[in-house]
């Protein structure tokens, strides 16, 4: 595969995606549009085009299979009369469900330019490939997601029939052999197959409410015009909201930014089903005794299935907080249903209500509050029926305040769950700190990992100890507390504002008292040594700069200079491609799994760029230094992700600090798409006296 993904995507109107299938020597483009109206989501149309790649043979044979299935209550069936030779014209599926109402799906024959394989074998007479093959099945609802193995099993029976009839030597060519049966019947799953010779085009459309007062069918002309309008609308809106700024305001970066953003939005899914949660509340999970990690390891794996239920960005945020249990816990992973579990290793499927996860959703709420305080209100486009709803919460502060007020009880429950379950022990070890309460420790520790922290194999204290205090977690708690305080201010909860202000002050003071190491001039985790003394464990890297990453170091902080020096030192965190996760000087650099022990991660680099920009735009002793680092880091990150995208066709989970090469998971457009936000940040090169 030479690359695949969305070129452009608008959740309300449609988009275009391309698959560069080098193995099969064809590029496939899928364009679709949404047509609003009706009571069940409206209608949609899809056009699929196949274009042979440059290295393709003159007659490239391609088979395309579309399938439709009905889960739950409802029905779906093929309305064409059965023809053992296949369907000559449009294949039509008709169905009904509570969510969709009455609907019809048409799969067209395509334009006259489509060519099909000519007759090469006697078997062509009973299954001509210029027709469309349709096979129907009745499948248990829980197995519908396994359509691919079902297809292959069915296709194998057809292959066996050919071999039985013609023998191995006399069997049909592959494009004739690998076909489904013409077998239309009642069922809840229907396969539709077409075989093409050379370039091809086929259209699908779903029309709502085909019974009674049915809307008109979606024609090829409707699709063409709709695709054109959607493309123009997407380009216009993207340029208004997310257009890259210098030096990334060139056409090549525009296409890159649109693709990265579209793949992020196009990857949003809706999942439902059961998850695996261990609610045994075994005493081992308290993790209070030395050697706790061994007892906890033995307790894990007792999970039972529990039903979990499950737009705009704010709707998504609310849906996540609505997954919270009565105590305030949200599962680290949401692996809902058998299909989702099939993609996750067994050891990661069970979730534990004792374990936390970085509270990154609060970063979104922080941004919402920042935008509410901004005076740059956006004017809606009167020609766009959806535009007024896109940013309604920003145009109408009352709506945003109502949203936050509705969410606030869940936010408080979640916040105090963190304080109750992830607390760290200060008193028992006579630690000197401003507050005896504001220390924090991740639960779920093993000797080599703290998966709950998100920085899995980052070096920590050895051996694990219940007296540990973790720099990243207290920093997250500081960010979370600051966010809660600002939300309380916004919705007028004055008593809560005072309470959160107290927590916030104590956390910031304790970050300094408990985690700053004067000798190493950085922030460090703390543990208890063999003499029952509290000591620092310093591994310079992302952990060391976490108070900075979470926005807790102001422009005049006495610690800021040392942190900026650490970030910009090529022998420590700095590389030509982004900030390393662990210092080049650290004894564990590049060792073991090397997951968070050297690679460059875009999520952490984004937080660094964001904090650098804040310092660079605020008067203070380190403003010019921050501006220079910001300019260079922004340039390095964007250029490297762009160059790897051009070279490989993909965004990557992480990047090699020595070569910049993308590595681990490809097509990783979750946090790596933050590069789009970095591109929209201002160009500070040449501002002030630090021209580069």
């Amino acid at each position: 595969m030479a690359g695949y993904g969305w070129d452009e995507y608008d959740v309300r109107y449609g988009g275009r995606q391309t698959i560069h299938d080098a193995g099969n020597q064809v590029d496939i483009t899928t364009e679709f549009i949404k047509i609003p109206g009706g009571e069940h989501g409206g209608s949609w149309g899809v056009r699929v085009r196949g274009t042979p790649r440059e290295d393709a043979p003159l007659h490239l044979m391609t088979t395309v299979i579309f399938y439709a299935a009905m889960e739950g209550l409802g029905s779906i069936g093929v309305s064409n009369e059965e023809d053992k030779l296949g369907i000559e014209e449009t294949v039509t599926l008709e169905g009904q469900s509570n969510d969709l109402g009455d609907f019809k799906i048409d799969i067209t024959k395509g334009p006259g330019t489509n060519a099909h394989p000519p007759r090469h074998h006697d078997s062509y007479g009973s299954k001509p490939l210029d027709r469309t093959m349709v096979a129907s099945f009745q499948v248990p609802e829980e197995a519908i997601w396994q359509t691919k193995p079902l297809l292959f099993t069915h296709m194998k029976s057809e292959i066996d029939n050919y071999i039985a009839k013609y023998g191995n030597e006399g069997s049909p060519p592959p494009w004739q052999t690998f076909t489904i049966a013409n077998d239309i019947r009642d069922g809840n799953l229907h396969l539709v197959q077409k075989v093409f010779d050379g370039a091809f085009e086929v259209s699908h459309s779903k029309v709502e409410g085909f019974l009674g007062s049915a809307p008109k069918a979606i024609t090829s002309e409707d699709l063409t015009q709709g695709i054109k309008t959607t493309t123009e609308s997407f380009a216009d809106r993207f340029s208004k909201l997310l257009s890259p700024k210098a030096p990334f305001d060139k056409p090549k970066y525009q296409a890159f930014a649109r693709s990265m953003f579209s793949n992020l939005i196009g990857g949003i899914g809706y999942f439902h089903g059961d998850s695996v949660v261990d609610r045994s509340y075994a005493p081992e999970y308290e993790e209070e005794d030395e050697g706790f990690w061994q007892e906890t390891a033995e307790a894990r794996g007792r999970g039972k299935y529990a039903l979990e239920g499950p737009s705009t960005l704010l709707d998504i945020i609310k849906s996540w907080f609505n997954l919270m249990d009565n105590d305030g816990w949200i599962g680290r992973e949401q692996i809902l249903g058998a299909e989702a579990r099939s993609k996750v290793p067994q050891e990661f499927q069970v979730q534990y209500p004792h374990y936390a996860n970085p509270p990154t959703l609060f970063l979104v709420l922080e941004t919402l509050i920042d935008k509410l305080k901004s005076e740059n209100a956006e004017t809606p486009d009167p020609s766009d029926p959806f535009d007024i709803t896109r940013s309604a919460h920003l145009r109408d502060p009352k709506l945003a305040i109502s949203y936050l007020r509705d969410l606030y009880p869940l936010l408080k429950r979640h916040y105090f769950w963190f304080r109750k379950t992830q607390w760290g022990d200060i008193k028992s070890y006579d630690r000197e700190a401003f507050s005896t309460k504001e220390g924090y420790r991740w639960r779920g520790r093993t000797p080599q990992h703290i998966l709950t922290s998100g920085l899995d194999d980052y070096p920590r204290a050895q051996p694990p100890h219940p007296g540990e205090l973790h720099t990243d977690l207290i920093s997250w708690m500081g960010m979370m507390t600051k966010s809660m305080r600002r939300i309380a201010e916004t919705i007028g909860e004055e008593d809560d504002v005072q309470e959160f202000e107290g927590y916030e002050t104590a956390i910031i003071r304790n970050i300094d008292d408990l985690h700053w190491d004067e000798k190493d001039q950085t922030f460090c985790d703390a543990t208890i040594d063999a003499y029952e003394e509290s000591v620092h464990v310093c591994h310079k890297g992302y952990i060391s700069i976490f108070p900075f990453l979470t926005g807790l170091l102001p422009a005049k902080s006495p610690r800021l200079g040392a942190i900026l020096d650490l970030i910009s030192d090529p022998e420590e965190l700095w590389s030509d491609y982004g900030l390393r996760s662990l210092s080049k000087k650290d004894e564990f650099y590049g060792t073991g799994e090397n997951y968070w022990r050297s690679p460059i991660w875009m999520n952490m680099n984004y937080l660094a760029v964001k904090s650098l920009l804040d310092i660079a735009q605020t008067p203070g002793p380190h403003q010019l230094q921050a501006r220079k680092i910001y300019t260079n880091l922004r340039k390095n990150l964007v250029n490297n992700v762009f160059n790897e995208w051009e070279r490989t066709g993909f965004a990557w989970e992480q990047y090699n600090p020595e070569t910049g090469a993308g590595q681990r998971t490809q097509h990783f457009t979750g946090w790596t798409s933050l590069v789009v936000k970095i591109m929209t940040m201002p160009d500070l090169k040449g501002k002030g006296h630090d021209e580069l």
Side-chain angles (χ1 to χ4, degrees):
M1 192 69 70
Y4 63 92
W6 293 99
D7 303 313
E8 56 190 43
Y9 182 79
D10 185 312
V11 293
R12 291 181 173 86
Y13 287 114
R16 181 180 69 248
Q17 61 179 340
T18 307
I19 302 170
H20 301 285
D21 190 344
N24 289 309
Q25 301 173 292
V26 63
D27 290 336
I28 298 176
T29 300
T30 301
E31 299 167 304
F32 90 102
I33 59 170
K34 299 179 181 180
I35 302 173
E39 300 177 356
H40 300 278
S43 304
W44 51 255
V46 179
R47 175 174 290 153
V48 181
R49 299 177 188 268
T51 305
R53 294 172 64 87
E54 290 184 358
D55 61 344
L58 180 61
H59 291 282
L60 176 70
M61 307 304 180
T62 305
T63 185
V64 178
I65 298 174
F66 170 84
Y67 73 91
M70 176 63 66
E71 289 184 314
L73 297 176
S75 63
I76 187 170
V78 182
S79 63
N80 301 74
E81 291 187 8
E82 183 176 19
D83 187 330
K84 290 301 182 182
L85 295 180
I87 306 300
E88 289 191 89
E89 299 296 333
T90 296
V91 175
T92 298
L93 304 174
E94 294 179 352
Q96 182 279 331
S97 75
N98 290 335
D99 291 332
L100 296 175
D102 300 319
F103 63 88
K104 180 176 71 170
I105 299 174
D106 287 332
I107 301 102
T108 67
K109 182 178 181 179
T113 53
N114 283 346
H116 303 277
R119 185 180 186 124
H120 280 88
H121 192 272
D122 289 345
S123 59
Y124 190 95
S126 58
K127 193 188 285 186
L129 299 183
D130 58 351
R131 298 195 180 198
T132 302
M133 291 149 277
V134 182
S136 305
F137 305 87
Q138 185 64 44
V139 180
E141 183 180 341
E142 65 273 13
I144 285 177
W145 66 272
Q146 295 176 301
T147 297
K148 185 176 180 180
L150 184 149
L151 164 66
F152 288 160
T153 299
H154 168 76
M155 198 173 276
K156 183 179 183 304
S157 68
E158 291 295 292
I159 296 170
D160 290 343
N161 290 338
Y162 280 131
I163 294 175
K165 185 173 182 178
Y166 299 106
N168 287 321
E169 299 300 323
S171 290
W175 52 88
Q176 182 82 52
T177 301
F178 292 95
T179 53
I180 63 177
N182 285 306
D183 186 18
I184 296 174
R185 62 175 72 183
D186 292 338
N188 60 353
L189 170 66
H190 306 278
L191 304 175
V192 180
Q193 182 179 19
K194 294 175 178 288
V195 185
F196 299 101
D197 180 351
F200 63 87
E201 176 184 314
V202 63
S203 298
H204 306 46
S205 64
K206 174 259 182 183
V207 178
E208 177 184 325
F210 72 93
L211 299 176
S213 56
K216 72 182 185 70
I218 300 172
T219 65
S220 177
E221 292 73 20
D222 293 334
L223 261 177
T224 299
Q225 182 57 46
I227 291 167
K228 180 175 181 292
T229 301
T230 296
T231 295
E232 293 172 349
S233 171
F234 177 86
D236 180 63
R237 185 157 185 82
F238 191 90
S239 65
K240 287 180 181 178
L241 298 179
L242 292 170
S243 186
K245 293 183 173 58
F248 310 113
D249 48 356
K250 301 176 178 62
K252 66 177 183 178
Y253 292 111
Q254 290 279 350
F256 167 61
R258 291 177 189 175
S259 175
M260 293 292 288
F261 173 78
S262 296
N263 281 288
L264 170 68
I265 301 301
I268 294 173
Y270 176 82
F271 295 88
H272 62 92
D274 56 356
S275 62
V276 186
V277 180
D278 183 345
R279 295 191 181 276
S280 63
Y281 295 98
E284 295 93 334
Y285 292 129
E286 298 299 325
E287 300 187 10
E288 301 302 327
D289 301 323
E290 294 187 30
F292 66 84
W293 68 92
Q294 295 168 321
E295 299 171 351
T296 306
E298 294 170 3
R300 290 192 186 111
R302 301 171 178 165
K304 298 181 182 295
Y305 290 93
L307 289 179
E308 303 279 350
S311 258
T312 62
L313 173 60
L314 295 181
D315 290 331
I316 294 172
I317 298 299
K318 181 178 285 188
S319 76
W320 271 89
F321 279 110
N322 282 332
L323 291 167
M324 189 182 303
D325 70 7
N326 291 333
D327 295 324
W329 172 75
I330 301 174
R332 168 179 156 81
E333 309 282 358
Q334 296 299 328
I335 311 167
L336 304 181
E339 181 176 5
R341 278 194 293 278
S342 73
K343 309 294 183 183
V344 180
Q346 181 72 34
E347 62 268 27
F348 299 126
Q349 290 184 17
V350 181
Q351 303 298 298
Y352 303 91
H354 328 77
Y355 297 167
N357 200 41
T360 53
L361 295 177
F362 282 83
L363 294 171
V364 179
L365 300 178
E366 280 275 281
T367 301
L368 173 62
I369 294 173
D370 289 341
K371 289 184 176 294
L372 284 175
K373 296 181 181 298
S374 172
E375 297 180 357
N376 300 322
E378 188 183 333
T379 303
D381 180 356
S383 65
D384 185 345
F386 287 122
D387 198 39
I388 198 166
T389 65
R390 281 192 177 103
S391 304
H393 291 80
L394 302 181
R395 298 193 185 104
D396 184 357
K398 292 181 180 178
L399 194 60
I401 291 171
S402 176
Y403 172 86
L404 290 171
R405 186 172 287 121
D406 184 46
L407 202 58
Y408 190 64
L410 292 175
L411 300 179
K412 283 186 69 174
R413 190 195 307 170
H414 192 47
Y415 175 81
F416 284 105
W417 176 86
F418 261 90
R419 293 182 64 86
K420 178 182 177 181
T421 63
Q422 309 300 301
W423 64 278
D425 194 343
I426 298 175
K427 292 182 181 180
S428 299
Y429 304 103
D430 297 325
R431 286 164 161 150
E432 295 183 5
F434 174 81
S435 168
T436 59
K437 296 181 178 179
E438 300 302 335
Y440 294 92
R441 173 171 66 93
W442 295 108
R443 302 310 195 262
R445 173 81 200 265
T446 68
Q448 299 303 323
H449 297 91
I450 306 183
L451 298 178
T452 48
S453 73
L455 279 70
D456 303 9
D457 66 334
Y458 193 99
R460 304 279 186 163
Q462 293 295 337
H465 194 283
E468 288 179 30
L469 298 175
H470 297 133
T471 306
D472 50 333
L473 181 51
I474 194 173
S475 301
W476 282 123
M477 289 304 299
M479 181 280 296
M480 196 181 187
T481 305
K482 176 184 174 184
S483 180
M484 289 298 298
R485 189 253 304 161
R486 296 184 71 198
I487 292 169
E489 288 174 346
T490 302
I491 65 176
E493 293 287 343
E494 295 302 326
D495 291 343
D496 287 358
V497 171
Q498 293 184 14
E499 182 179 6
F500 289 126
E501 280 180 344
Y503 296 147
E504 185 179 358
T505 298
I507 287 172
I508 290 174
R509 290 285 297 272
N510 272 22
I511 288 175
D512 215 49
D513 292 345
L514 296 170
H515 294 282
W516 179 258
D517 189 274
E518 195 63 34
K519 175 178 175 291
D520 283 342
Q521 286 290 289
T522 193
F523 295 101
C524 305
D525 285 347
T527 191
I528 304 301
D529 66 10
Y531 303 100
E532 291 294 299
E533 296 289 335
S534 180
V535 295
H536 285 145
V537 178
C538 297
H539 294 283
K540 292 181 179 179
Y542 290 162
I543 294 290
S544 310
I545 63 174
F546 234 90
F548 173 73
L549 296 177
T550 48
L552 301 180
L553 289 190
K556 296 182 180 180
S557 168
R559 311 303 186 200
L560 184 58
I563 295 300
L564 294 180
D565 289 343
L566 174 62
I567 287 173
S568 57
D569 187 345
E571 295 303 311
E572 299 275 14
L573 303 190
W574 188 266
S575 83
D576 291 338
Y577 314 106
L579 300 182
R580 298 179 174 94
S581 46
L582 190 64
S583 168
K584 199 172 182 180
K585 293 180 178 179
D586 193 275
E587 61 179 309
F588 294 108
Y589 182 79
T591 63
E593 296 173 23
N594 194 23
Y595 199 43
W596 290 88
R597 295 188 175 192
S598 74
I600 296 162
W601 292 80
M602 188 55 61
N603 48 355
M604 297 302 168
N605 275 269
Y606 168 77
L607 292 176
V609 172
K610 183 176 181 295
S611 293
L612 285 166
L613 177 60
D614 290 340
I615 302 299
Q617 294 181 318
T618 304
H622 305 289
Q623 184 177 18
L624 294 183
Q625 183 185 11
R627 186 178 294 159
K628 181 176 180 179
I629 299 172
Y630 162 82
T631 298
N632 284 334
L633 181 58
R634 177 173 176 260
K635 173 174 64 69
N636 288 352
L637 290 167
V638 173
N639 282 336
N640 188 61
V641 176
F642 171 76
N643 290 338
E644 285 299 284
W645 179 76
E646 273 205 323
R647 182 179 73 86
T648 67
F650 297 106
W652 293 84
E653 181 181 8
Q654 54 179 220
Y655 293 85
N656 187 291
E658 311 305 328
T659 66
Q663 57 189 34
R664 300 280 182 168
T665 305
Q666 68 180 29
H667 204 43
F668 196 94
T669 48
W671 54 58
T672 302
S673 63
L674 284 166
V675 70
V676 179
K677 284 284 290 179
I678 295 174
M679 293 167 76
T680 66
M681 291 178 178
D683 178 23
L684 300 185
K685 184 177 181 180
K687 300 288 181 68
H689 304 286
D690 60 328
E691 295 191 19
L692 304 177

